[in-house]
């Protein structure tokens, strides 16, 4: 019996230490006082068990809140009362710790917004290197969401390229500095000096329109990747209507960017269900090419939409989704969006 009591006391003591270490995590700042309650009880019970197992003739008596306590109960009561006296003094510390955490978060958010503003001054300058930043979903770790820097032409090994297109599905001319133009040019067959002699992706997209003049916002068409399959390893190009034009006003983003993201991911799942093996996708920040959008908000909406979709489709065969951050302002916006999305955690391994 004595052995069992000693083992029980050791288990309660270890559990108390582990729980106390867990409560010290910065994420629980401001609530550590309440979380200390089970820790105190575990310490008290383990101490009482150990004391009265090793010294069965020990005596501890006293009164607490009108009751007379003796033996092990008296010791536990004494321990708990002393502990609560000490813990009562930590309330102010917890309150201050919570306030410091809130101020640090506000400062970080302000720094991020200033970073976006600063980088926006040089938004036409591409990041120096092509890099990839990924985080995994806290609840479903097989899914990963992040962003990659650099131009689209430097992207290799991603199964699906997404083209942010207008509602008329008219691809940009190959000489224009847009995602649409890059995909059109890279997907085409060119002669020895680089002139387009077969406009593969644009011709396929035109055929899918079947004479229609426009499509609804968020509509998705799928084409082959043309020559991109051989140069960059892409298998499919998904064209989604994310901007709409108006005579004399140019293009503006559609209202529901989140719906555009969901439509793209849903189309990838449909293709996988039909037998294709598409495990990764790269999506540009929708509607940002013309400068008529809020970059931080767009990045936040797109990251959130990716996470929402994957959590609601846990059987999806898609594993990794990247946003494309091809300018300094895009990078700052994507960094802020990842930081703000609490359902994403740093990737392990």
């Amino acid at each position: 019996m004595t052995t069992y009591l000693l083992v029980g006391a050791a288990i309660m003591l270890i559990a108390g230490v582990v729980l106390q270490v867990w409560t010290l995590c910065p994420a629980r700042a401001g609530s550590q006082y309440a979380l200390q309650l089970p820790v105190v009880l575990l310490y008290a019970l383990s101490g009482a068990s150990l004391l009265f197992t090793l010294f069965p003739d020990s005596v501890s008596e006293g009164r607490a809140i009108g009751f007379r306590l003796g033996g092990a109960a008296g010791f536990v009561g004494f321990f708990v009362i002393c502990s609560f006296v000490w813990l009562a003094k930590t309330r102010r510390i917890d309150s201050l710790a919570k306030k410091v955490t809130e101020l640090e978060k506000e400062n970080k958010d302000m720094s991020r917004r200033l970073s976006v503003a600063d980088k926006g001054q040089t938004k036409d300058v591409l990041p120096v290197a092509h890099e990839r930043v990924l985080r995994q979903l806290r609840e479903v770790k097989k899914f990963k969401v992040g962003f990659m820097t650099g131009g689209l032409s430097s992207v290799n090994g991603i199964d699906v390229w997404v083209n942010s297109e207008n509602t008329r599905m008219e691809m940009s001319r190959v000489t224009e500095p847009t995602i649409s133009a890059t995909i059109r040019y890279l997907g085409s067959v060119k002669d020895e000096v680089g002139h387009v002699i077969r406009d593969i992706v644009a011709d396929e997209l035109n055929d899918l329109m079947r004479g229609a003049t426009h499509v609804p916002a968020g509509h998705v068409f799928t084409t082959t990747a043309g020559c991109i399959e051989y140069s960059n390893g892409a298998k499919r190009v998904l064209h989604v209507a994310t901007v709409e034009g108006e005579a004399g006003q140019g293009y503006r983003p559609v209202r529901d960017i989140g719906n555009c993201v969901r439509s793209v991911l849903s189309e990838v799942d449909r293709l996988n269900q039909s037998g294709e093996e598409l495990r990764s996708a790269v999506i540009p920040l929708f509607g940002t090419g013309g400068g008529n959008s809020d970059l931080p908000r767009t990045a936040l909406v797109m990251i959130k939409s990716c996470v929402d979709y994957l959590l609601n489709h846990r059987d999806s065969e898609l594993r990794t989704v990247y946003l494309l951050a091809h300018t300094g302002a895009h990078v700052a916006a994507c960094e802020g969006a990842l930081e703000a999305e609490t359902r994403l955690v740093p990737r392990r391994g």
Side-chain angles (χ1 to χ4, degrees):
M1 186 66 178
T2 300
T3 302
Y4 291 132
L5 288 174
L6 287 174
V7 171
I11 291 174
M12 286 187 286
L13 180 61
I14 294 172
V17 171
V18 172
L19 184 58
Q20 185 165 33
V21 171
W22 181 78
T23 62
L24 295 177
C25 176
R28 282 168 280 281
S31 60
Q32 291 170 341
Y33 175 81
L35 292 172
Q36 289 288 333
L37 298 181
V39 174
V40 170
L41 292 175
L42 286 170
Y43 284 161
L45 290 172
S46 64
S49 298
L50 181 62
L51 178 63
F52 288 97
T53 299
L54 298 177
F55 307 102
D57 296 329
S58 298
V59 176
S60 177
E61 295 184 350
R63 298 183 63 87
I65 58 174
F67 294 93
R68 186 176 182 82
L69 301 175
F75 181 82
V76 171
F78 173 76
F79 195 100
V80 170
I81 291 171
C82 291
S83 299
F84 272 81
V85 170
W86 176 78
L87 287 173
K89 299 179 180 180
T90 68
R91 286 183 173 178
R92 180 170 176 77
I93 297 175
D94 274 351
S95 178
L96 291 174
K98 183 177 181 180
K99 186 64 176 177
V100 168
T101 301
E102 292 174 350
L103 290 174
E104 287 178 344
K105 184 177 180 180
E106 291 177 6
N107 182 58
K108 200 167 189 178
D109 289 341
M110 181 64 71
S111 297
R112 186 168 59 244
R113 288 194 292 270
L114 290 173
S115 178
V116 171
D118 291 341
K119 292 183 180 181
Q121 301 300 318
T122 57
K123 65 179 181 179
D124 295 327
V125 180
L126 297 180
V128 176
H130 176 76
E131 298 179 353
R132 299 185 181 189
V133 177
L134 274 179
R135 293 194 180 183
Q136 61 189 17
L137 271 66
R138 186 188 302 273
E139 294 185 24
V140 191
K141 292 181 171 53
K142 68 177 181 178
F143 295 134
K144 299 175 181 62
V145 177
F147 68 92
M148 58 175 63
T149 64
L152 187 60
S153 59
S154 63
V155 174
N156 291 290
I158 301 298
D159 297 329
V160 177
W161 284 18
V162 177
N163 175 28
S164 177
E165 200 53 82
N166 55 70
T167 53
R168 300 178 67 86
M169 287 292 161
E170 296 176 339
M171 297 192 76
S172 302
R173 293 172 295 181
V174 296
T175 55
E176 295 181 19
T178 64
I179 295 295
S180 178
T182 299
I183 291 176
R184 182 174 187 175
Y185 183 73
L186 293 177
S188 66
V189 177
K190 297 166 278 291
D191 61 19
E192 61 275 9
V193 295
H195 295 150
V196 175
I197 57 177
R198 186 182 170 201
D199 207 355
I200 298 176
V201 178
D203 288 345
E204 287 184 17
L205 183 58
N206 186 59
D207 290 341
L208 290 171
M209 286 292 289
R210 296 173 182 167
T213 59
H214 67 281
V215 296
H219 190 81
V220 179
F221 279 127
T222 300
T223 66
T224 66
C227 292
I228 302 173
E229 181 175 0
Y230 310 105
S231 62
N232 300 74
K235 300 175 181 178
R236 288 286 192 174
V237 175
L238 270 56
H239 309 261
V240 56
T242 62
V243 295
E244 48 194 359
E246 184 178 344
Q249 301 297 320
Y251 290 103
R252 65 176 182 275
V254 299
R255 292 183 178 180
D256 194 348
I257 292 296
N259 178 59
C260 296
V261 174
R262 292 188 292 271
S263 296
V264 165
L265 300 182
S266 178
E267 176 66 3
V268 174
D269 277 346
R270 185 191 70 79
L271 293 170
N272 280 328
Q273 291 167 6
S274 68
E276 300 196 31
E277 297 183 356
L278 308 173
R279 302 293 179 261
S280 56
V282 56
I283 309 175
L285 289 175
F286 289 152
T288 60
N292 297 321
S293 65
D294 183 343
L295 277 175
R297 178 184 175 279
T298 298
L300 280 170
V301 169
M302 292 184 67
I303 290 291
K304 180 181 182 301
S305 298
C306 288
V307 174
D308 286 343
Y309 182 89
L310 293 172
L311 286 176
N312 291 328
H313 299 80
R314 302 191 181 203
D315 59 344
S316 174
E317 295 181 29
L318 179 64
R319 291 292 181 266
T320 308
V321 181
Y322 290 98
L323 297 189
L324 181 66
H326 65 280
T327 72
H330 289 182
V331 171
C334 289
E335 288 175 342
L338 285 184
E339 186 69 27
E341 180 50 78
T342 57
R343 293 172 296 175
L344 294 173
V345 296
R347 185 168 61 110
R348 295 181 179 178

